[in-house]
Amino acid sequence: MPTVELLEHSLMTPRVSRFAFQAPFRHEAGQYVALSALVDGAQQTRYYSIASPPEPSGRIELCVQHEGAFGSHMRSLRRGDRTECSEPGGKMRLLDPARPAVYFAAGTGVSPMRAILLAQLGADPAAEAVLLLGARHSSELLFRDEFEALTDRHPGFRFMPSISGDETGWDGRRGRVVAHIDEAMAGLNSPDAYFCGQREMVAQLRERLAAAGITDERQVYERY
Ligand SMILES: Cc1cc2nc3c(=O)[nH]c(=O)nc-3n(C[C@H](O)[C@H](O)[C@H](O)COP(=O)(O)OP(=O)(O)OC[C@H]3O[C@@H](n4cnc5c(N)ncnc54)[C@H](O)[C@@H]3O)c2cc1C
């Protein structure tokens, strides 16, 4: 199995870390890798979506919930450490950068959305795109500053955060991602839909998007 070399890692939130690895392969935006390591005395494997679009250097970024067994192991890695890593896989990909797109994600499910969105805006800076991103607390909206900055550089891009927890002082959208589907789709002419998250959220989105006329071929998704 190939290995990747840790370049750096940092805390994004108290629960999520961001990792950059040097990889020996090229990936497509939206793909994931399987990392394997000896954890608690047993060889274990976990899947992680690549959060960055392809870079000529081969650098890949991951966002990892670090409270569990494998995530804790990853946090113990030092710069220069190598980890077994599969070739990239998965069926998520950018369909057509020129078509309107709507992205839905919650938590670390934002990773493949970020990769595909950045690939889309890189290919077509004027693309019409909307990202509806959910989190329990505003401090857990991953890449929030980056997405807000993107709205300045790309007038066709709209960022819609929503908070599901009981946070005082938040005056934006509240509730889970599925509560705001209609607002996200408003004004988009037959968009491609990209989404990633827990099984229940994906099932709800699939049903609502189908009812809105988004056919299976235009729904690109991953279940965590
Ligand atoms: C295609 C695919 C892509 C995926 N991409 C990502 C990704 O990009 N990022 C990502 O983070 N995950 C991703 N996952 C899930 C990932 O593979 C792991 O299952 C997940 O990160 C949990 O692994 P773990 O061993 O760290 O946690 P486990 O030990 O299996 O624990 C599961 C969860 O329980 C909670 N938990 C466990 N122990 C504690 C504790 N001591 N305190 C508080 N909470 C605790 C944590 O929320 C933890 O994530 C993906 C899964 C799939 C199938």
Side-chain angles (χ1 to χ4, degrees):
M1 193 184 278
T3 60
V4 291
E5 179 185 333
L6 182 66
L7 299 173
E8 57 190 339
H9 66 84
S10 56
L11 273 185
M12 293 186 91
T13 75
R15 274 194 270 256
V16 177
S17 290
R18 180 175 181 170
F19 293 81
F21 289 98
Q22 182 64 45
F25 47 70
R26 289 295 302 274
H27 72 282
E28 272 192 66
Q31 288 188 302
Y32 59 78
V33 288
L35 299 187
S36 299
L38 196 61
V39 177
D40 299 334
Q43 189 70 13
Q44 300 198 34
T45 298
R46 295 288 190 282
Y47 295 92
Y48 294 105
S49 296
I50 299 174
S52 48
E55 290 181 25
S57 65
R59 177 189 161 104
I60 60 169
E61 288 182 33
L62 309 179
C63 297
V64 175
Q65 283 201 43
H66 59 227
E67 289 171 318
F70 205 91
S72 303
H73 161 76
M74 286 184 67
R75 278 192 79 190
S76 72
L77 295 176
R78 300 262 175 270
R79 190 176 175 168
D81 285 351
R82 303 195 76 90
T83 299
E84 285 186 17
C85 177
S86 70
E87 294 284 339
K91 57 185 170 24
M92 291 196 81
R93 66 193 169 86
L94 175 61
L95 295 178
D96 181 347
R99 278 211 299 260
V102 61
Y103 297 85
F104 302 99
T108 52
V110 72
S111 286
M113 302 296 99
R114 175 182 183 248
I116 298 175
L117 172 67
L118 293 180
Q120 180 183 22
L121 295 177
D124 181 358
E128 266 188 288
V130 175
L131 169 63
L132 174 48
L133 178 61
R136 272 176 291 188
H137 191 275
S138 58
S139 62
E140 296 179 325
L141 286 166
L142 304 180
F143 300 108
R144 179 183 178 183
D145 291 350
E146 180 183 291
F147 293 135
E148 286 175 350
L150 277 180
T151 63
D152 294 334
R153 295 206 305 279
H154 299 276
F157 173 57
R158 196 153 47 98
F159 176 49
M160 295 176 48
S162 185
I163 298 307
S164 60
D166 189 17
E167 178 181 342
T168 49
W170 172 258
D171 59 3
R173 270 169 222 86
R174 287 189 180 270
R176 298 196 178 270
V177 160
V178 286
H180 304 290
I181 296 177
D182 293 342
E183 185 192 349
M185 306 258 292
L188 293 179
N189 183 15
S190 186
D192 294 332
Y194 301 89
F195 44 107
C196 182
Q198 301 292 329
R199 188 164 291 273
E200 187 193 349
M201 177 181 130
V202 167
Q204 290 174 343
L205 280 165
R206 290 209 11 89
E207 196 180 315
R208 292 281 303 276
L209 291 167
I214 311 296
T215 55
D216 276 355
E217 312 82 70
R218 309 285 289 274
Q219 296 186 22
V220 181
Y221 61 91
E222 199 78 76
R223 292 185 194 93
Y224 276 10

